[in-house]
């Protein structure tokens, strides 16, 4: 039986951190054997809010590729590729853009929240938002449908993108009287989200509150030592009332493959300082093999580029097949 097709991706706007690792990479690894996976480094999407920093996006393409491979993505099983190298995605985005109203895009909750965060780029009321940024969900629908993906592992914030993709698919099939694409389903990871080490809801580069997969052990320990906690003294798992210490317990539980409610029992009687030292040591131990693999890859950038080239070729075959079906359906197969 043919395997179902899986596509997911990351924006190369920074290297990946442990939030990405537990929230999405682990899930990705677990699905690698049972699906036909496509993993995209979404440079075109990263440019929608970094169009003025092309060197940053370029540098992070290899970083994100190396993070994925070091984490265990096997380029023989998964086609790891760069979005901009598949021009059929851009072409499909143009065709799809006729099927989506500007109002629908303006109402997308994830896009709305991002516009509000990026005042310096898009204005305090979002009055300077670009056509490209507002439209990135359309381009994301093309990312997914170009390989005719069935399943898309993502975080919760991406659910509106999947809903839009299904709407576009239905509309496309209806208007052009065809049946080319599956209705792609999101696959949410069951790992809980790790908060930033400063207590904010998300790890992110701009907040400087993340442990990167590529951080060295000293930097990692320093970040954990500096992580925000509360003025309590006992280690408990109570995310509602004691969110920061609970977040560290959660991280401890994840690296020990335990439930936080059980992990907390190991930690009884420890003070915060001792717990943080233990957490840093254990996290460094957990990440050591990944980091060793990553160091090997860093020493061989040409090898990483070859793997991306292998991925590009695999996606290209599929993308050409899809776009020719699309052109026929749209009567532009001259
Ligand atoms: N929007 C995703 C993010 O910000 C990245 C992404 C781009 C993606 N294209 C995709 C995810 C296609 C899933 C499918 O993380």
């Amino acid at each position: 039986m043919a395997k179902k097709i899986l596509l997911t991706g990351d924006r190369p706007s920074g290297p990946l951190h442990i939030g990405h690792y537990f929230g999405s990479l682990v899930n990705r690894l677990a699905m690698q054997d049972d699906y036909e996976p496509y993993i995209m480094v979404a440079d075109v999407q990263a440019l929608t809010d970094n169009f003025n920093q092309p060197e940053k996006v370029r540098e992070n393409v290899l970083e994100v590729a190396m993070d994925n491979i070091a984490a265990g993505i096997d380029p023989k099983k998964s086609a790891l590729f760069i979005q901009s190298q598949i021009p059929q995605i851009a072409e499909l985005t143009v065709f799809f853009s006729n099927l989506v109203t500007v109002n629908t895009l303006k109402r997308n909750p994830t896009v709305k929240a991002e516009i509000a965060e990026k005042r310096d780029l898009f204005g305090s009321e979002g009055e300077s938002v670009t056509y490209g940024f507002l439209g990135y969900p359309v381009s994301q629908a093309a990312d997914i449908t170009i390989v005719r993906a069935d399943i898309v592992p993502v975080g919760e914030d991406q659910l509106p993108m999947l809903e839009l993709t299904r709407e576009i698919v239905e509309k496309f099939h209806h208007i052009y009287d065809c049946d080319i694409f599956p209705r792609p389903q999101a696959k949410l990871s069951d790992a809980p989200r790790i908060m930033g080490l400063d207590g904010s809801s998300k790890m992110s580069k701009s907040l400087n509150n993340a442990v990167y997969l590529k951080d060295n052990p000293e930097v990692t320990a320093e970040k954990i030592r500096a992580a925000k906690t509360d003025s309590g003294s006992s280690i408990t798992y109570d995310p509602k009332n004691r969110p920061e210490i609970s977040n560290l317990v959660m991280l401890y539980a994840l690296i020990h493959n335990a439930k936080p409610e059980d992990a907390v029992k190991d930690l009884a009687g420890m003070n915060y300082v001792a717990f943080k030292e233990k957490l840093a040591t254990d996290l460094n131990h957990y990440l050591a093999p990944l980091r060793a693999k990553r160091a090997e890859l860093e020493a061989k950038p040409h090898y990483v580029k070859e793997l991306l080239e292998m991925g590009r070729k695999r996606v290209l075959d599929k993308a050409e097949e899809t776009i020719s079906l699309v052109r026929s359906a749209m009567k532009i197969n001259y």
Side-chain angles (χ1 to χ4, degrees):
M1 211 176 82
K3 288 180 176 172
K4 292 212 168 196
I5 296 174
L6 176 157
L7 180 130
T8 190
D10 310 287
R11 291 184 193 178
S13 49
L16 302 183
H17 52 61
I18 55 172
H20 293 121
Y21 181 80
F22 290 109
S24 68
L25 291 180
V26 169
N27 199 24
R28 228 173 254 186
L29 298 178
M31 300 176 84
Q32 191 163 231
D33 290 312
D34 299 332
Y35 291 85
E36 179 182 325
Y38 295 85
I39 315 263
M40 158 187 294
V41 184
D43 60 340
V44 175
Q45 187 172 119
L47 282 164
T48 61
D49 61 341
N50 292 282
F51 52 83
N52 50 357
Q53 301 180 77
E55 43 319 289
K56 172 178 139 186
V57 173
R58 186 188 172 96
E59 276 163 25
N60 284 304
V61 166
L62 273 200
E63 296 285 328
V64 167
M66 290 191 292
D67 284 331
N68 270 282
I69 301 166
I73 288 299
D74 177 351
K76 287 196 202 78
K77 295 180 188 163
S78 297
L80 181 66
F81 71 105
I82 305 173
Q83 185 185 17
S84 64
Q85 294 201 320
I86 306 296
Q88 290 83 356
I89 296 175
E91 181 174 346
L92 189 55
T93 303
V94 173
F95 299 151
F96 281 174
S97 68
N98 292 324
L99 309 181
V100 182
T101 69
V102 174
N103 276 332
T104 299
L105 294 169
K106 283 187 176 160
R107 279 197 304 264
N108 182 304
T110 301
V111 173
K112 250 171 130 170
E114 289 177 285
I115 294 172
E117 273 169 30
K118 296 169 206 289
R119 290 156 190 273
D120 47 337
L121 210 52
F122 299 140
S124 56
E125 308 291 328
E127 68 279 7
S128 308
V129 69
T130 59
Y131 162 65
F133 189 80
L134 192 64
Y136 91 70
V138 183
S139 155
Q140 188 162 333
D143 297 342
I144 295 166
T145 48
I146 201 73
V147 299
R148 282 167 279 153
D150 300 287
I151 185 150
V152 184
V154 280
E156 230 170 8
D157 61 332
Q158 300 294 304
L159 292 179
M161 311 308 170
L162 266 294
E163 204 178 301
L164 180 71
T165 305
R166 287 188 295 269
E167 271 170 42
I168 291 174
V169 162
E170 307 255 317
K171 216 163 171 182
F172 191 96
H173 288 164
H174 179 73
I175 294 173
Y176 302 113
D177 193 23
C178 59
D179 190 4
I180 298 174
F181 309 108
R183 277 98 185 126
Q185 299 299 321
K187 169 88 173 72
L188 292 177
S189 135
D190 44 18
R193 169 186 285 185
I194 303 178
M195 302 184 333
L197 296 177
D198 59 351
S200 51
S201 67
K202 221 168 141 170
M203 284 201 169
S204 91
K205 191 171 177 93
S206 53
L207 296 171
N208 193 26
N209 64 2
V211 174
Y212 292 97
L213 297 176
K214 65 182 262 187
D215 279 343
N216 68 38
E218 292 73 35
V219 168
T220 303
E222 202 42 59
K223 287 180 175 175
I224 301 279
R225 263 178 230 129
K228 187 173 172 203
T229 47
D230 51 39
S231 58
S233 54
S234 63
I235 305 205
T236 41
Y237 183 68
D238 179 3
K240 271 227 169 63
N241 299 307
R242 311 242 328 254
E244 293 96 357
I245 191 70
S246 300
N247 188 45
L248 298 181
V249 172
M250 163 79 69
L251 180 55
Y252 180 87
L254 284 168
I255 63 187
H256 291 283
N257 201 12
K259 292 201 176 84
E261 293 81 0
D262 294 330
V264 78
K265 291 176 199 151
D266 294 356
L267 305 167
M270 260 189 200
N271 65 29
Y272 283 1
V273 174
F275 169 50
K276 282 178 166 181
E277 283 308 315
K278 178 161 177 55
L279 176 59
T281 305
D282 292 1
L283 179 59
N284 281 328
H285 181 75
Y286 181 89
L287 291 176
L290 183 158
R291 285 170 169 167
K293 178 93 190 276
R294 203 181 188 289
E296 270 173 39
L297 295 167
E298 277 166 36
K300 295 187 291 190
H302 287 291
Y303 172 65
V304 179
K305 285 178 191 161
E306 271 169 35
L307 296 178
L308 286 164
E309 175 58 15
M310 225 167 76
R312 183 188 73 88
K313 288 196 182 123
R314 270 160 68 184
V315 180
L316 203 61
D317 290 343
K318 193 105 193 172
E320 270 170 357
E321 194 181 283
T322 304
I323 209 75
S324 84
L325 293 170
V326 164
R327 288 203 197 114
S328 304
M330 294 180 70
K331 318 224 177 285
I332 51 173
N333 54 334
Y334 309 110

